[in-house]
């Protein structure tokens, strides 16, 4: 059932991007404030739900691709609330010896993830902030679960656009890249401008300003491409999310203007 009473330490009146994402996916782990903020975004971009679903499909395809390259370790930063086809489900199905670390800073995400994965010894859920990548990389709990002398797949799915400072966003990705062994990979999806006009962008930005994330920063194709500096982009490159190695058997819903985003995978 939908949340109506917040756990201790959580203000239910402040929307969370993780819980809004859950609402977009049809989940029930959200408060009234999350639903109101999400509905406003839907007003501005009527098929944002289709865009979010496309992002989940990309996750599955990308993780399957990484397992095919031999990667068995995954670090998902900004993991969000558990839903269908999470990283560990896709990875363990393809490669049962995979190990996964989920990182998030939303208390509800941490509580739900830990409860769901309490009996899964190959997957752990830890608190961490994307803005402090070195703290994540040096966390002894992370290093007890992942061996950074071997390839690791780092997932930054629909999260870097919540870092509005361009220099900081690039520094974060560089810090992650510099810590990875050859054969590692980055999986990235990012919100773009679509065909939204300035007033729509301003309204959407205002909604996210009032969330726990504090801001959102859509970026152009060229700006997002910079995050792959030092990586070799996997074909077909940085493309619209549903165009990255689409599965012919998977349904593809049309994305209207404003639901656009770019996704790609880079290898070291």
């Amino acid at each position: 059932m939908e949340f109506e009473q917040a756990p201790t330490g959580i203000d239910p009146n402040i929307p969370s991007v993780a819980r809004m994402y859950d609402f977009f996916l049809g989940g029930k782990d959200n408060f009234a404030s999350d639903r109101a903020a999400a509905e406003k975004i839907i007003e501005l971009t009527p098929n944002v739900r289709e865009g979010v679903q496309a992002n989940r499909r990309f996750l599955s395809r990308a993780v399957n691709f990484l397992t095919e390259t031999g990667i068995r370790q995954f670090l998902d930063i900004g993991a969000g609330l558990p839903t269908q086809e999470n990283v560990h489900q896709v990875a363990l199905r393809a490669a049962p010896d995979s190990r996964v670390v989920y990182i998030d800073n939303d208390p509800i995400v941490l509580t739900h993830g830990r409860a769901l994965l309490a009996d899964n010894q190959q997957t752990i859920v830890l608190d961490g902030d994307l803005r402090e990548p070195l703290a994540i990389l040096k966390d002894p709990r992370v290093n007890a679960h992942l061996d950074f002398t071997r390839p690791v797949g780092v997932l930054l799915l629909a999260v870097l656009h919540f870092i509005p400072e361009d220099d900081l966003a690039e520094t974060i990705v560089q810090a992650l890249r510099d810590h990875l062994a050859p054969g590692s990979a980055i999986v990235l999806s990012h919100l773009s401008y679509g065909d939204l006009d300035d007033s729509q962008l301003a309204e959407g930005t205002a909604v996210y300003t009032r969330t726990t994330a504090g801001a959102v920063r859509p970026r152009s194709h060229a700006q997002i491409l910079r995050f792959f500096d030092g990586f070799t982009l996997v074909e077909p490159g940085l493309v619209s999310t549903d165009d990255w190695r689409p599965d012919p058997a998977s349904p593809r819903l049309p994305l209207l203007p404003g639901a656009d985003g770019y996704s790609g995978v880079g290898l070291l």
Side-chain angles (χ1 to χ4, degrees):
M1 58 185 297
E2 295 172 340
F3 288 154
E4 293 302 343
Q5 184 171 353
T8 302
I10 295 175
D11 186 346
N13 298 309
I14 300 177
S16 154
V17 294
R19 299 191 300 267
M20 289 170 64
Y21 194 90
D22 173 74
F23 178 80
F24 291 141
L25 284 171
K28 299 295 182 65
D29 296 334
N30 44 73
F31 297 112
S33 64
D34 306 312
R35 298 189 286 275
E39 291 288 3
K40 180 60 179 177
I41 297 298
I42 291 170
E43 286 181 24
L44 297 170
T45 56
N47 71 339
V48 63
R49 286 191 174 99
E50 285 81 2
V52 169
Q53 291 165 6
N55 193 61
R56 298 302 295 186
R57 292 192 294 271
F58 168 67
L59 180 156
S60 294
R61 299 194 305 275
V63 171
N64 275 319
F65 170 79
L66 294 191
T67 63
E68 292 171 2
T69 71
I71 290 177
R72 297 293 183 267
Q73 303 185 104
F74 299 88
L75 176 62
D76 185 357
I77 304 177
L81 281 156
T83 184
Q84 294 182 345
E85 291 297 278
N86 296 286
V87 173
H88 73 281
Q89 292 169 308
V90 178
L92 291 172
R93 185 167 58 241
D97 56 336
S98 296
R99 299 176 70 82
V100 179
V101 173
Y102 289 118
I103 300 289
D104 211 289
N105 61 2
D106 186 309
I108 289 182
V109 170
L110 298 171
T111 299
H112 276 240
R114 288 165 177 164
L116 178 68
L117 298 166
D119 297 327
N120 186 325
Q121 299 302 308
Q122 290 168 253
T123 306
I124 60 174
V125 182
L126 302 175
D127 56 306
D129 191 332
L130 177 62
R131 287 177 169 272
E132 300 178 354
L134 293 181
I136 294 171
L137 296 169
K138 294 180 179 180
D139 189 316
R141 300 168 298 174
V142 173
N143 287 275
H145 202 74
L146 302 178
D147 178 1
F148 284 100
T149 67
R150 298 171 51 235
V152 175
V154 176
L155 291 96
L156 299 172
L157 296 177
V159 65
L160 272 176
H161 46 241
F162 294 116
I163 306 293
E165 307 92 343
D166 292 338
D167 289 347
L168 176 58
E170 291 182 19
T171 297
I172 288 169
V173 178
Q174 290 168 4
L176 293 168
R177 181 197 64 208
D178 292 346
H179 198 75
L180 298 175
S184 295
I186 185 172
V187 178
L188 192 152
S189 62
H190 196 294
L191 181 67
S192 192
Y193 297 98
D195 290 335
L196 296 177
D197 61 31
D198 290 344
S199 64
Q200 289 172 310
L201 282 170
E203 286 186 69
T205 299
V207 172
Y208 281 106
T209 299
R210 295 189 290 271
T211 70
T212 53
V216 67
R217 168 84 161 98
R219 292 183 170 94
S220 68
H221 184 276
Q223 290 171 319
I224 300 168
L225 191 61
R226 288 178 60 88
F227 295 130
F228 289 94
D229 287 353
F231 293 92
T232 299
L233 260 179
V234 173
E235 290 295 333
L238 182 65
V239 295
S240 295
T241 300
D242 252 352
D243 289 334
W244 195 89
R245 301 195 173 204
D247 179 357
S250 177
R252 298 180 65 188
L253 300 175
L255 298 183
L256 299 173
D260 296 63
Y262 292 109
S263 298
V265 175
L267 297 178
L268 277 179

